[in-house]
Amino acid sequence: MGRPMTMMTRIARMAGSAVLAVSLSAGAASGEWFQYGGPHRDFSLPEPLTITDWGEDGPRRLWQRELGPGYSGLVATADGRRLFTQSREGDDELVLALDARNGQTLWEHRYSAPLDAVQGVDMAYGNAPQATPLVVGERVVGLGFTGILWAVDAADGTPLWSTALGSERDAPIPYFGHAASPLWVPGDDGGAVVVLAGGALAFDPQDGTLLWQNRSFQTSYASPVLAETKFGRQILIVGADEAVGLDPVDGSLLWRHEFSNPQRTAMAEPILIDDDFLFISSFFIGSRGLRLVARDRVEQVWDQEDFQVSHYNVVRNGDALFTTSKRNLLALDARTGDVLWRERRFGGANLLRAGSQSLALDEHGRLTTAQLDSQGLRRLQTARLLTGRSWTPPTVLGSRLYLRDQQVVAAFDLQSVAAPEAPAQDTARVELPPEMGAAILALESAVRRADASGIEQAADRLGPYVDDMRTGAWAAYYRAYGLWRLSQISPFDDQLALVDRAVEAGEQALAIDSENADVHAVLGTLYSLYYRLAPERARVIGPKGQEHLTRALSLAPNNPRARAIHALRLAYAPRQWGGDPDAARLQLRQLVSEQPLDPQTPPRVGEPTWLQAAVRTWLARLLVGDGPDVHQEARDLLDGVLSAYPDHAAAADLLAQLDVS
C-alpha cells in the first residue's frame, strides 16, 4: 500500500489542496457535467430546471444518432460544446467526442480490448464499457470493460497514456466487468485520478504514473466518492465486503465497516449527509446509516432491509433519499432509516434532481418529471423517448437533456415541445417476409419433432432478420425460443451454452422492443434455468427471471404465452419461492380452453402459434404425475395434439409412458 518515496513531494503538495477541492465542488456551474453523477457526483443540479409542460409528446428532440453498446454515461467540456462517452465495436473499445449541437462525431479513439482474452466474466448484461469517463482539464480519462485505463487529449482524441490494469497492475476484472467510474481528486500539483480495481489506485492524469495504491480491500461495482467530512476529506467506497474511508493524499485506510451480500456485489455509491453521516446500500441486504465519530472511526446508527439499491442511482432532497428498488419508487429518511413512502409499480429508473423537480428515466426509455419530497411523489408528465434498454443515467447541460440506450444517443430541449408523431403501426399485424415466415414454420416444426439440428438451422436462418427494425425483435425472439427448447432436449453439458445464447438473443430483442411481453416471458424462464445449470451465476442473475416474468404480465396480463410460462413457474418452483401446482393446472386448463388447435394458422408478428400444442402437453405432463384418476384427461389432451401434429415428439413420448403404465 502507498506510493513510491519518489512521490513524497507530491503528497505534501496535495495535502494543502482541500480548499481547491471544496471550491471546485461548490462553484460548479449549472450545466457543468465533467464526471459520473454530474457537478457534485450526486445526480443533482445546483439550480432548478425550467421544464416546459410537454405532456405525452415529450420534449423536442434536437438530434439522435446511432451509438454502439455500452452503459457509459455522457460527460462534457466546461463550455458544453463537446460530449464524451465510450462504446464497443467488435474487439475494439471506442472513446468518442460528439458535437453537442448535432451529435456528429468530432473524433474517435479506439483501442484493442478482445473479449476472448477475458476469463471468468459474465457478459449476460453486456460486454461494452460501463464506467463513465472523466474530464480533467484538457484531458479525458476513462476505464474500459476489460480494465484498460486510458487518457486522451480532449481536443482531438490523441492518446496520451494507457495501462492495462489486469496485466500491468495485477488488478482482477470483476465478475460483470469493470463498472466503477474514475474519480478526480484535485490538487495544486495536478491532482490524481482514482480508479477501483482490486483495491484503489491513484494515477497522475498527466502521464499515468501510479501515485499510490491501497490493496487492503476488494472492490465491486460502486464508484468512489470524494467527500468533505467534519474530519477532513475522505474517499468513500462501498466494496465487495465492506465500506471504507481512505485518505485522498496517500490512499491510507482510515476506517472500515463490514458490509457484504453473498454475491459480493455492491453497485450503489455512498452518500454523505451533511458532514458526519453516511448512507450505504447494497442489493440483497438493504441500507445502513453510519455516523463518522472520528476521522478513523464510524458507528452504525440504523439498518433498513427494505431499501435496497441495485444498478439504479439514489438522489437526495434534504434528509430524504429516493431510489427505485424491486419495481417500486421508495423514499427513505436518511437519519432514521425509516421508509417514508412507497410508489408501487414505478419500474426501475435512474433519477436526477434539480430544485423541486426531478427527472426519472426508466429502463424502457420513458422519462417522467415529478416532484419528490418526504411527503410523497407527484407525477407531472411522462413520455417515451428511447426504445432500447436505458440503464445509463441522464445528463443535463442547461436546458438540454442527453440520453443513451443500447442503440442510440439523443438530445432533447426540456424547454420546448415535440411535434406530434404519426401513430405507430400495429406491429401485431405486420406481414412477415415470406422467407422469415418459412424459417419460423421450420423452427416450430423442428421443435415439435425434437429435431436438434433442425432447430439450429432454423434459428440460424432467422439471424439476418434481427437487423430489420420492423421484424427484428420477433426474429430475435424466435431465436431465443428455439434455443430454449433446444436446451431442453440436449445433453446436460451442452445446456448452459445454449441458454447463454438464448439469453443473448432475448436481450437483443429487448434492445429493439423493450416492451415486448413475449420476449420478457421467454427471458423469465431462461434466467431461471441458471439455478439448475450454473448455481453460482444464478445467485446474481437468477432473480432476473422473476423480474422479466413480472414485467411480461404487467405489460400484457392476458398474453397467453406469458401466462403459460407463469404456469410453468407455479408448477415447478418450490412452494417457499411461490410454487403452486394447483394454480398451475387451473391456469393451463384455462389456456387450453382459449387456444384451439389450428395447425393451419400462418405465423404473424406478435402472434406466435407454438403455444397451442405446448399448453396441452405441459398440462398432460402434470396430470401424468397426479395419478390414474386424471390419466384419461391426459390421454385426451395428447390425442388432440397428435391429431393436429402427428410429428409432436414430446406428446408421443408422454402418451407412450401412459400406455405402459
Side-chain angles (χ1 to χ4, degrees), residues 449-469:
R449 301 192 315 271
D451 177 0
S453 62
I455 296 174
E456 280 275 22
Q457 292 170 10
D460 289 343
R461 287 171 59 187
L462 289 166
Y465 299 99
V466 174
D467 295 328
D468 185 328
M469 288 303 293

Side-chain angles (χ1 to χ4, degrees), residues 55-373:
E56 294 182 359
D57 294 327
R60 181 165 66 95
R61 190 185 304 265
L62 301 173
W63 53 260
Q64 178 171 305
R65 56 157 289 172
E66 293 184 356
L67 186 68
Y71 302 116
S72 179
L74 292 111
V75 293
T77 50
D79 59 12
R81 295 180 179 177
R82 282 169 289 169
L83 304 171
F84 308 99
T85 191
Q86 302 176 83
S87 184
R88 170 172 284 279
E89 186 176 293
D91 283 340
D92 292 341
E93 291 187 338
L94 281 69
V95 187
L96 299 103
L98 310 180
D99 189 323
R101 296 169 301 176
N102 53 32
Q104 293 180 0
T105 300
L106 298 174
W107 54 255
E108 73 173 38
H109 166 63
R110 62 175 63 220
Y111 57 88
S112 179
L115 296 170
D116 56 9
V118 177
Q119 302 296 321
V121 176
D122 193 317
M123 301 183 192
Y125 294 101
N127 55 20
Q130 304 176 86
T132 296
L134 182 68
V135 179
V136 183
E138 297 303 315
R139 287 166 161 71
V140 184
V141 183
L143 178 63
F145 179 84
T146 64
I148 296 176
L149 180 69
W150 51 263
V152 300
D153 188 294
D156 58 15
T158 301
L160 301 175
W161 55 265
S162 68
T163 180
L165 298 178
S167 59
E168 298 176 29
R169 303 297 179 186
D170 194 28
I173 183 171
Y175 184 67
F176 291 111
H178 286 278
S181 299
L183 171 69
W184 170 234
V185 178
D188 45 7
D189 62 346
V193 172
V194 176
V195 296
L196 302 185
L201 299 88
F203 295 87
D204 187 327
Q206 302 299 313
D207 57 14
T209 300
L210 181 66
L211 302 178
W212 54 256
Q213 58 181 318
N214 186 323
R215 301 297 186 99
S216 67
F217 65 99
Q218 291 298 312
T219 53
S220 191
Y221 308 98
S223 299
V225 172
L226 181 65
E228 189 67 31
T229 78
K230 68 186 297 183
F231 303 106
R233 285 195 305 164
Q234 296 190 11
I235 297 174
L236 307 178
I237 300 167
V238 179
D241 302 301
E242 58 205 336
V244 300
L246 304 184
D247 188 323
V249 174
D250 61 4
S252 58
L253 181 71
L254 299 177
W255 56 265
R256 68 171 80 232
H257 174 80
E258 183 179 344
F259 186 64
S260 178
N261 59 49
Q263 290 73 34
R264 308 179 76 228
T265 301
M267 292 174 275
E269 290 69 45
I271 296 175
L272 180 68
I273 311 296
D274 297 332
D275 62 359
D276 66 344
F277 203 89
L278 300 179
F279 164 84
I280 60 175
S281 186
S282 178
F283 200 52
F284 302 111
I285 58 174
S287 303
R288 289 181 188 170
L290 308 178
R291 177 173 288 110
L292 275 164
V293 294
R295 183 169 182 266
D296 59 355
R297 188 161 61 90
V298 297
E299 62 180 18
Q300 181 173 316
V301 178
W302 54 258
D303 188 357
Q304 172 57 262
E305 187 176 329
D306 289 339
F307 199 85
Q308 299 183 8
V309 184
S310 58
H311 57 287
Y312 302 112
N313 64 6
V314 181
V315 296
R316 176 190 173 198
N317 186 358
D319 284 342
L321 300 174
F322 308 90
T323 194
T324 57
S325 177
K326 298 181 179 180
R327 313 213 63 77
N328 295 325
L329 176 64
L330 294 93
L332 182 85
D333 187 320
R335 290 291 185 179
T336 65
D338 295 332
V339 174
L340 299 173
W341 51 260
R342 181 190 310 263
E343 178 79 7
R344 300 185 185 279
R345 293 192 175 277
F346 189 88
N350 279 301
L351 308 173
L352 188 152
R353 189 178 70 82
S356 63
Q357 290 202 49
S358 294
L359 303 177
L361 178 70
D362 76 14
E363 59 188 330
H364 307 295
R366 286 184 296 255
L367 181 73
T368 296
T369 63
Q371 290 183 342
L372 297 177
D373 57 34

Side-chain angles (χ1 to χ4, degrees), residues 534-570:
E536 286 302 312
R537 290 173 62 188
R539 296 170 68 184
V540 178
I541 65 176
K544 286 184 68 66
Q546 185 59 49
E547 292 176 18
H548 279 292
L549 184 54
T550 300
R551 181 64 181 159
L553 294 169
S554 66
L555 285 169
N558 295 318
N559 182 294
R561 291 159 298 280
R563 290 163 56 203
I565 290 175
H566 181 220
L568 287 184
R569 173 70 60 84
L570 293 172

Side-chain angles (χ1 to χ4, degrees), residues 24 35 102 107 179 181 192 198 214 235 368 387 394 399 424 427 482 491 503 557 615 653:
L24 180 83
Q35 64 175 335
N102 53 32
W107 54 255
S181 299
N214 186 323
I235 297 174
T368 296
T387 59
S399 67
T427 57
V503 166
V615 289
D653 289 346

